Amino acid sequence: LLHDGDVIQVFYTRDAKKDDPNWTWNIGGGAGNANGSSVSAENKTEMIFVEETEKNGTYAITLPADGEHTQKVTIAHGKKGQLVVIVYEDGSEKVVRKSVVLDGRARFFLFQDAVVKLVDYENDFIDIAKDAWYGEAVNFVSGRELFSGVGENRFAPEETLSRGMFITALYRLEEPAVQTLNLPFADVEPGAWYEKAAIWGNLVGIAKGDENGAFYPDDAVAREELAVMLYRYGKVLNLPTSGRDSLTSFADAGDVSSWARDAVAWAVDSGMLNGDADGRLAPTGTATRAEAAAMLMRFIDFMMR
């Protein structure tokens, strides 16, 4: 959806048919050439070539030499629930965290040429029923290594999520290199498992402390706090953040804190935050691990649109 104030970015390129005499259109596979390369219409604007190889169903991705640092790639094959995995020359593999597989297409970000493959994934947590409303979200975040279990092969979907856990999930998604170890928060201990995530979150403006310089990493995160952190992260990534739902359809819209209202209105408008069966947002209620997983999955889907 477009909103007042949105910026529309238009890409264009020279005529590929003039540069490559073998350029053709492959029915059902997008644009391509006679040598077997294929590229979706989305990739075509960026001149990203996706070549299906003969080795274990892999795809060789060639990014434009003069392109931006990170490129969005589309493969016109994929099944819901699959993961995009980079296959390195030494045989090691790594899941692409910024990726979605929807409507038969895999969309993901790469910053350099790579060989990738699509793999099936199903979590093995003993406390996640296959028909649970959050089942897909748990698969999504655990497959991309954003959320871990809590031990004994359990995900604990109904347990609350801490602020430290959520900023760590965003940190894992971004995979930044943290150069400084200057602790910005008085209550983040050196060596804590969330230390680098908290430092990164503060550096980019996602995680902010109170007037006493405390982050409260062990406190349960509220639903409106999740919206705020995702909203700030969206701004860091230059995602569209102008959308605002009126919130008038929610009986407890007045309970949204003033400092969180823009973020909650954006999260609802973008489809990341939903109300419950009684038409309530419960903005100050603590978020469960399942709810946080669902919001993060929807955020990444929003990122890849």
Side-chain angles (χ1 to χ4, degrees):
L1 296 176
L2 291 177
H3 303 277
D4 184 34
D6 283 354
V7 175
I8 301 175
Q9 190 170 14
V10 179
F11 295 93
Y12 65 92
T13 184
R14 59 183 179 270
D15 189 348
K17 291 183 288 186
K18 294 180 180 179
D19 299 325
D20 183 352
N22 295 319
W23 189 271
T24 60
W25 279 99
N26 298 327
I27 302 300
N33 63 36
N35 296 322
S37 297
S38 64
V39 57
S40 75
E42 178 177 289
N43 291 336
K44 180 172 179 289
T45 62
E46 303 278 354
M47 296 302 292
I48 299 172
F49 291 89
V50 180
E51 182 179 3
E52 187 169 4
T53 72
E54 298 179 357
K55 186 177 180 180
N56 298 325
T58 59
Y59 299 84
I61 314 296
T62 304
L63 303 181
D66 58 349
E68 297 179 2
H69 183 66
T70 300
Q71 300 285 332
K72 184 189 293 184
V73 181
T74 297
I75 295 178
H77 304 283
K79 297 184 299 183
K80 187 175 182 180
Q82 286 186 316
L83 301 174
V84 180
V85 175
I86 296 176
V87 182
Y88 295 102
E89 291 185 0
D90 63 1
S92 60
E93 300 180 354
K94 181 181 179 181
V95 66
V96 179
R97 291 171 175 172
K98 290 183 178 180
S99 64
V100 296
V101 183
L102 289 172
D103 303 322
R105 293 178 179 269
R107 292 186 174 89
F108 53 97
F109 284 124
L110 285 180
F111 66 91
Q112 61 185 15
D113 297 350
V115 174
V116 305
K117 66 179 180 180
L118 303 178
V119 299
D120 295 330
Y121 173 79
E122 187 74 31
N123 77 78
D124 59 359
F125 295 117
I126 61 175
D127 56 349
I128 303 297
K130 291 186 179 298
D131 59 350
W133 68 264
Y134 47 75
E136 180 184 358
V138 172
N139 262 348
F140 190 96
V141 298
S142 62
R144 287 162 180 76
E145 302 169 350
L146 303 175
F147 277 40
S148 302
V150 298
E152 299 180 346
N153 211 25
R154 296 172 54 250
F155 184 80
E158 300 301 334
E159 289 186 11
T160 57
L161 187 84
S162 73
R163 290 167 54 83
M165 287 177 184
F166 195 66
I167 197 62
T168 297
L170 299 185
Y171 175 75
R172 290 171 179 167
L173 177 60
E174 194 62 27
E175 298 183 282
V178 176
Q179 301 298 330
T180 178
L181 290 181
N182 294 325
L183 290 173
F185 302 116
D187 57 350
V188 173
E189 295 292 332
W193 57 268
Y194 48 76
E195 176 191 18
K196 288 187 176 181
I199 292 171
W200 165 77
N202 181 258
L203 284 173
V204 299
I206 298 173
K208 299 180 180 180
D210 64 9
E211 63 276 7
N212 298 316
F215 179 60
Y216 304 102
D218 297 322
D219 283 8
V221 65
R223 284 162 56 85
E224 64 181 7
E225 288 180 306
L226 287 181
V228 168
M229 283 195 271
L230 289 177
Y231 177 69
R232 292 171 178 165
Y233 185 31
K235 284 183 172 291
V236 171
L237 298 177
N238 292 318
L239 296 179
T241 55
S242 60
R244 298 288 187 278
D245 187 272
S246 66
L247 303 183
T248 55
S249 62
F250 299 100
D252 58 347
D255 293 342
V256 179
S257 301
S258 58
W259 50 266
R261 194 164 188 84
D262 277 352
V264 170
W266 167 78
V268 172
D269 181 81
S270 304
M272 297 170 207
L273 181 61
N274 299 323
D276 60 21
D278 297 323
R280 303 182 67 83
L281 274 173
T284 59
T286 53
T288 65
R289 288 169 53 84
E291 290 172 333
M295 286 187 67
L296 187 53
M297 178 182 70
R298 295 165 190 157
F299 177 86
I300 297 173
D301 176 55
F302 179 78
M303 179 194 306
M304 302 305 304
R305 291 177 193 172

